[in-house]
Amino acid sequence: MKIKLVYKSKSGFTKQYAEWIAQETGCELIPEKAANISDVKGCDVLVYGSRMHAGRVDGLSQARKLFAGSGAKHFIVFATGGMPCSAVETVEEMWKNNLTAEELESIPHFYMQAGICYEKLGLVDKAMMKMAASMMAKQAEKNPMEAQIVKAVQGSYDISDKQYIVPLVGFLRGL
């Protein structure tokens, strides 16, 4: 089975996960910046990985176009972000905001906690994160998850771990 993995990585977390997945599966890695239809044509499985950015899977609309032109039988999406995997309800809501009801059923999708690296973010992204942290910090009442988020977005951190590729890799091996 021919698997191609297209990834978009701003601060390196998604690239790291893509490389770990490639090590385990032997799939071909293609940076999203260089990806076009001819690169993915003829594959059996197209995997797309990117960061969560302002609640959206960055570049997902372009990935859908690549899949449509690839002729692949399977399309799989993974997203990385600073939210811990334990925030199940938040992660599920994120997927509902990115995939249609039909896609939620037909496209296998995986979330992998990663982190935030302010040193690699652009000025606009840094400002957005700092503003969000400031607004959340001002909330008088926070549930434990909100308090954890406020603390987390105040500085760079890395909570990525190779263990989070296991469900996706297992799914690919089962195809």
Side-chain angles (χ1 to χ4, degrees), residues 56-73:
R56 310 299 295 168
V57 178
D58 196 13
L60 185 56
S61 60
Q62 178 63 23
R64 287 181 177 105
K65 292 175 188 172
L66 288 172
F67 173 66
S70 71
K73 297 177 187 101

Side-chain angles (χ1 to χ4, degrees), residues 45-57:
V45 180
L46 180 63
V47 179
Y48 179 71
S50 187
R51 68 181 177 149
M52 288 303 304
H53 183 255
R56 310 299 295 168
V57 178

Side-chain angles (χ1 to χ4, degrees), residues 68-137:
S70 71
K73 297 177 187 101
H74 304 281
F75 183 43
I76 299 167
V77 177
F78 75 89
T80 63
M83 181 70 58
C85 289
S86 60
V88 176
E89 290 178 14
T90 304
V91 171
E92 287 176 4
E93 189 64 29
M94 176 270 301
W95 284 119
K96 288 178 187 175
N97 291 332
N98 283 273
L99 301 172
T100 66
E102 181 181 310
E103 288 174 330
L104 284 167
E105 294 294 321
S106 64
I107 298 174
H109 48 280
F110 302 86
Y111 178 77
M112 299 168 196
Q113 67 183 39
I116 296 173
C117 182
Y118 282 103
E119 297 77 16
K120 293 183 181 178
L121 292 179
L123 197 56
V124 173
D125 288 336
K126 281 182 193 177
M128 284 176 45
M129 292 299 296
K130 293 293 183 181
M131 186 171 63
S134 175
M135 288 171 49
M136 285 189 275

Side-chain angles (χ1 to χ4, degrees), residues 7-65:
Y7 68 91
K8 183 172 185 174
S9 188
K10 180 79 172 182
S11 57
F13 293 110
T14 304
K15 181 180 180 185
Q16 178 64 70
Y17 276 114
E19 289 171 348
W20 285 337
I21 293 165
Q23 288 169 2
E24 294 295 320
T25 65
C27 67
E28 180 183 341
L29 289 179
I30 306 169
E32 186 263 351
K33 290 178 186 175
N36 60 52
I37 299 293
S38 64
D39 293 324
V40 296
K41 204 154 195 75
C43 67
D44 299 300
V45 180
L46 180 63
V47 179
Y48 179 71
S50 187
R51 68 181 177 149
M52 288 303 304
H53 183 255
R56 310 299 295 168
V57 178
D58 196 13
L60 185 56
S61 60
Q62 178 63 23
R64 287 181 177 105
K65 292 175 188 172

